[in-house]
Amino acid sequence: MSASQIFNRIGQLGLGLALAGGVVNSALYNVDGGHRAVIFDRFTGIKKLVVGEGTHFFIPWVQRPIIFDVRSRPRNVPVITGSKDLQNVNITLRILFRPVPDELPKIYTILGQDYEERVLPSITTEVLKAVVAQFDAGELITQRDLVSQKVSDDLTERAAQFGFILDDISITHLTFGREFTQAVELKQVAQQEAEKARFLVEKAEQTKKATVISAEGDAQAATLLAKAFGDAGEGLVELRRIEAAEDIAYQLSRSRQVSYLPGGQNLLLNVPTPGN
């Protein structure tokens, strides 16, 4: 066998291996972690078997794998609805959702791969409108935990009918219409004015009581003084005069411009007289 024949055989063998490798590779598909696959068969339709993670075989052209993400994903759904007392309410719900893996063939057959776009906004709006209509605007604020719990229970039950699992539901945004907001602000201003008026009234009453107590004290002091004058006569007046003189003397003694001279002496010290 010549060298050219050997190279031809090697080339043919390599080509065959390449074709076989291409066929095998085209019949493989990967399912990553946190994902599941549903197989569509051109002859039998969607298979009920859900394929797990890993590398798997399928029949090219006859079968086609459809990959789904089964991990929890967030979705914000804003809704405008009305309360029990006919106030406009803007509320946003944050939902963590994922499909039930065993329900994926049914979900794909009925809803398709964009199942969350088809279901979540509609059922969230339906549940929120039904729950919010049971509460007044004030109760939506004061009983927010109760509202959130009721929304969570009803929405979880509703989503289970479509093959969804809701891991978490929370109210992230809750506001009211402009009219209600203005009414709340006016109410707060009125309450502040009422508190201020009550403070002024209490202050006036305290001032009045203080004045009455002071007047009663002055009257009692005057009565005691009158009684003392009646009992002691001029003696009490003389005592007050002595106390006043002592106070004046004490104040003068602290002044540097005042000097004390012995009594009975000439005030003009060392001044010569006309006869001298």
Side-chain angles (χ1 to χ4, degrees):
M1 182 179 294
S2 63
S4 61
Q5 291 177 343
I6 294 175
F7 283 117
N8 288 335
R9 290 290 181 87
I10 294 175
Q12 292 174 357
L13 180 61
L15 180 60
L17 291 176
L19 292 174
V23 171
V24 172
N25 184 63
S26 64
L28 294 175
Y29 68 96
N30 293 323
V31 179
D32 297 330
H35 294 72
R36 297 292 185 274
V38 174
I39 301 299
F40 170 75
D41 192 289
R42 292 182 181 272
F43 301 105
T44 61
I46 298 294
K47 293 183 174 295
K48 294 183 179 181
L49 178 65
V50 177
V51 182
E53 301 167 357
T55 301
H56 306 275
F57 287 97
F58 73 104
I59 303 175
W61 187 82
V62 176
Q63 295 179 337
R64 176 169 58 90
I66 303 164
I67 308 298
F68 283 88
D69 188 350
V70 295
R71 296 171 295 185
S72 293
R73 289 179 290 163
R75 175 68 184 264
N76 292 330
V77 182
V79 177
I80 300 176
T81 182
S83 62
K84 186 178 179 180
D85 53 352
L86 303 180
Q87 297 294 335
N88 290 329
V89 181
N90 299 319
I91 185 169
T92 300
L93 211 61
R94 184 179 184 272
I95 304 171
L96 279 178
F97 71 95
R98 56 189 173 92
V100 179
D102 293 338
E103 297 288 333
L104 287 176
K106 178 182 176 181
I107 292 175
Y108 181 76
T109 301
I110 299 175
L111 301 173
Q113 284 187 283
D114 58 344
Y115 57 91
E116 70 275 9
E117 297 290 341
R118 298 173 181 266
V119 175
L120 283 179
S122 59
I123 64 174
T124 302
T125 302
E126 174 190 350
V127 171
L128 278 177
K129 287 188 175 182
V131 173
V132 171
Q134 301 175 19
F135 297 88
D136 293 337
E139 294 174 343
L140 292 174
I141 299 175
T142 59
Q143 302 181 23
R144 182 164 179 167
D145 292 340
L146 177 61
V147 175
S148 180
Q149 184 62 43
K150 189 168 181 59
V151 169
S152 178
D153 294 341
D154 293 352
L155 191 56
T156 300
E157 180 181 356
R158 191 78 173 88
Q161 300 175 5
F162 296 91
F164 294 176
I165 297 175
L166 304 183
D167 294 321
D168 182 68
I169 301 172
S170 58
I171 298 175
T172 59
H173 182 72
L174 179 63
T175 59
F176 300 92
R178 184 175 57 184
E179 295 79 5
F180 180 80
T181 304
Q182 291 177 349
V184 171
E185 292 176 352
L186 292 175
K187 182 179 179 181
Q188 291 177 346
V189 172
Q191 290 177 345
Q192 293 174 356
E193 293 294 335
E195 291 292 333
K196 182 179 179 180
R198 186 174 67 179
F199 171 76
L200 293 176
V201 170
E202 292 179 353
K203 182 178 179 181
E205 290 180 353
Q206 294 296 329
T207 303
K208 180 179 178 181
K209 290 181 180 180
T211 303
V212 171
I213 293 173
S214 178
E216 290 177 350
D218 292 342
Q220 186 176 4
T223 302
L224 292 176
L225 286 174
K227 183 179 179 181
F229 278 122
D231 295 340
E234 295 296 330
L236 182 60
V237 176
E238 188 63 24
L239 177 62
R240 293 288 185 266
R241 184 181 296 114
I242 293 172
E243 291 177 350
E246 288 180 351
D247 184 66
I248 293 172
Y250 175 74
Q251 296 295 333
L252 292 176
S253 66
R254 298 178 62 185
S255 176
R256 297 180 180 181
Q257 299 179 357
V258 177
S259 300
Y260 288 92
L261 298 177
Q265 296 185 5
N266 190 358
L267 297 179
L268 300 177
L269 300 176
N270 302 325
V271 178
T273 60
N276 294 330

